[in-house]
Amino acid sequence: IQAAWSLKTRALTEMVYVDEIDMDQEGIAEIILDENAIAQVARPGTSLKLPGTSQGGGPSPAVRPVTQSGRPITGFVRPSTQGGRPSTMEQAIRTPRTALTARPITSASGGYVRPGTASMITNPDGPFINLSRLNLTKYAQKPKLAKALFEYIFHHENDIKNALDLAALATEYAQFKDWWWKVQIGKCYYRLGLYREAEKQFKSALKQQDMVDTILYLAKVYLRLDQPVTALNLFKQGLERFPGEVTLICGIARIYEEMNNISSAAEYYKDVLKQDNTHVEAIACIGSNHFYSDQPEIALRFYRRLLQMGVYNCQLFNNLGLCCFYAQQYDMTLSSFERALFLAENEEETADVWYNLGHVAVGIGDLNLAYQCFKLTLVNNNDYAEAYNNLAVLEMRKGHTEQARALLQTASSLAPHMYEPHFNIAILSEKVGDLQRSYTAAQKSEEAFPGHVDTQQLIKQLKEHFAML
């Protein structure tokens, strides 16, 4: 009986496994042949897609807020994570051909000029260079002019196809001995989403000439392929050849931070400051790490250092205000937030400041002021999930159950990665006797934050209720 049972169990698991994949043979063949395909289930600590699998024991969402991808909020906004680079070749080809307008370049100007000079005509209303008339073969044979022309096409015109054609012709003319052109071809491939081809070009360039820039570009390729461990090894090999290079140390710190290994990231950011004590990103990240580690006084020192260095923006004064409040320096708190509101450049920044002012109001016990601050947050940014959640808590204190439920449902739909709205819906539903909805919301809360003790206790209570029923 035991052998038959084990066979039956094995057959069932195999059936479920096939059913979960749900892919025909052509799809499997595509994955095998596609060099850019990423493993569906990564090993723990080797993927940026699942930062919670890291071995570093990062902070929980109860201590440090997380983004929608599950990573803890960093102390510095980085272009690589914010920029919308095209992920496929079709998107890259469809990108605007100029840096100034979304319309493609027309060849209406210079219709009566000789074809040889038509490409270099300058028209006040037209483009500086008409790329459609360029003879790329001719310019590829003039190395100095070709490099300047490539920079213009790649960075200003954003025409990756023509830039790649010029780079290919120029590197062929240089008999594949010029490392600079290989790096440019790699950059074009990266922009087009051909990461494996870009990797080959960067590796070939590194063999000819060891450069920090090439190492950084190759690491970007590995990160886009979701191979952070390979990128880390590359940076560490680079540090052996370029000891004390700030950009490489900072690159290691960023990867550790994205993998939720905050303690290792902080150590590398401190190494960055040993080499360059005016590095804004390192100071900001160490400051935010101290703030979320219940050390607002130390965080305040780092943010004051940024202020002394000349950084003068809304975000800095916002952080200064929070640090002053939690360090019980109330005389500076409101003046810092006032300065932050004055320096806010858009409504999103204003909403952040009002939201933090709402927290200050809750901390001093003025719930009416807190209510007004959270309302002003939503006036400036109608998609602010945290403000909806906190307003719902204030409504629950007033006894307005239906309003609180509506606000919590809005918050949970706007930010499904947050556990607080789901947990609050579960508590509210349990109080009014809707046990099924409470159990569903509690399960969502547990998915968002598996280590939340209150959620686990609530689920246990609800299971006991269901068992009694």
Side-chain angles (χ1 to χ4, degrees), residues 351-405:
D352 284 336
V353 180
W354 279 119
Y355 175 75
N356 289 329
L357 275 167
H359 266 289
V360 171
V362 170
I364 61 176
D366 192 343
L367 298 186
N368 288 326
L369 176 61
Y371 191 85
Q372 293 298 323
C373 288
F374 292 135
K375 282 283 188 184
L376 283 167
T377 303
L378 295 177
V379 167
N380 287 284
N381 183 1
N382 202 31
D383 293 336
Y384 213 106
E386 291 88 349
Y388 280 111
N389 178 73
N390 292 359
L391 272 175
V393 174
L394 294 176
E395 292 286 3
M396 283 169 69
R397 288 178 67 93
K398 293 179 181 177
H400 302 158
T401 308
E402 289 305 316
Q403 291 180 16
R405 185 193 298 279

Side-chain angles (χ1 to χ4, degrees), residues 32-328:
I32 293 170
L33 296 172
D34 186 8
E35 292 183 333
N36 295 322
I38 296 171
Q40 297 296 318
V41 182
R43 294 196 308 276
T46 62
S47 172
L48 296 176
K49 307 269 184 203
L50 298 168
T53 61
S54 77
Q55 303 298 313
S60 70
V63 177
R64 188 168 186 167
V66 295
T67 61
Q68 195 149 5
S69 60
R71 299 173 188 162
I73 289 178
T74 61
F76 197 84
V77 176
R78 303 188 182 95
S80 60
T81 54
Q82 299 291 318
R85 287 275 184 246
S87 56
T88 63
M89 190 181 291
E90 287 81 4
Q91 287 177 357
I93 291 170
R94 285 179 194 154
T95 47
R97 293 190 64 191
T98 73
L100 307 174
T101 174
R103 293 177 58 197
I105 298 172
T106 60
S107 56
S109 61
Y112 300 103
V113 190
R114 285 189 299 115
T117 55
S119 60
M120 289 298 179
I121 191 73
T122 303
N123 193 323
D125 300 323
F128 177 64
I129 296 175
N130 197 337
L131 299 181
S132 59
R133 299 191 177 195
L134 278 180
N135 184 356
L136 296 178
T137 310
K138 182 177 78 173
Y139 292 112
Q141 295 171 5
K142 301 176 181 177
K144 292 179 182 177
L145 185 60
K147 288 183 178 181
L149 183 60
F150 175 87
E151 297 275 337
Y152 175 81
I153 297 172
F154 186 84
H155 293 293
H156 185 272
E157 297 296 323
N158 197 22
D159 189 344
I160 308 303
K161 180 182 176 297
N162 276 326
L164 181 58
D165 290 343
L166 177 61
L169 291 167
T171 194
E172 192 177 341
Y173 178 76
Q175 298 177 346
F176 305 98
K177 292 178 181 176
D178 192 340
W179 65 272
W180 191 87
W181 282 114
K182 291 184 179 179
V183 172
Q184 308 316 309
I185 293 174
K187 283 162 66 175
C188 291
Y189 280 142
Y190 177 83
R191 193 76 71 87
L192 291 169
L194 302 169
Y195 301 122
R196 288 298 180 188
E197 283 77 2
E199 178 193 8
K200 290 172 188 171
Q201 295 294 332
F202 290 138
K203 280 185 171 179
S204 177
L206 275 174
K207 284 180 184 176
Q208 287 184 347
Q209 181 73 34
D210 217 0
M211 293 290 290
V212 175
D213 279 355
T214 316
I215 295 172
L216 293 171
Y217 277 119
L218 186 54
K220 279 181 73 175
V221 170
Y222 287 133
L223 289 176
R224 193 53 67 94
L225 287 170
D226 195 23
Q227 295 180 359
V229 178
T230 312
L232 282 173
N233 293 334
L234 179 70
F235 278 135
K236 287 171 182 174
Q237 289 168 12
L239 281 173
E240 291 174 5
R241 304 193 293 272
F242 301 98
E245 176 58 43
V246 170
T247 51
L248 299 180
I249 305 172
C250 192
I252 294 173
R254 287 176 183 174
I255 294 173
Y256 276 128
E257 196 169 42
E258 288 184 7
M259 291 174 70
N260 211 354
N261 193 343
I262 304 297
S263 55
S264 298
E267 290 300 319
Y268 276 98
Y269 278 128
K270 287 173 185 174
D271 289 344
V272 170
L273 291 182
K274 288 175 187 174
Q275 305 295 331
D276 177 11
N277 56 11
T278 60
H279 199 277
V280 175
E281 180 179 347
I283 296 172
C285 288
I286 293 173
S288 70
N289 187 36
H290 280 300
F291 177 79
Y292 287 117
S293 302
D294 285 335
Q295 296 172 323
E297 300 89 351
I298 302 174
L300 188 60
R301 288 171 54 193
F302 282 94
Y303 289 126
R304 280 178 58 199
R305 168 69 177 158
L306 287 176
L307 199 61
Q308 290 166 356
M309 282 166 47
V311 179
Y312 192 78
N313 56 24
C314 168
Q315 291 86 349
L316 179 58
F317 280 101
N318 180 42
N319 292 351
L320 281 168
L322 281 175
C323 289
C324 288
F325 175 69
Y326 285 106
Q328 299 180 2

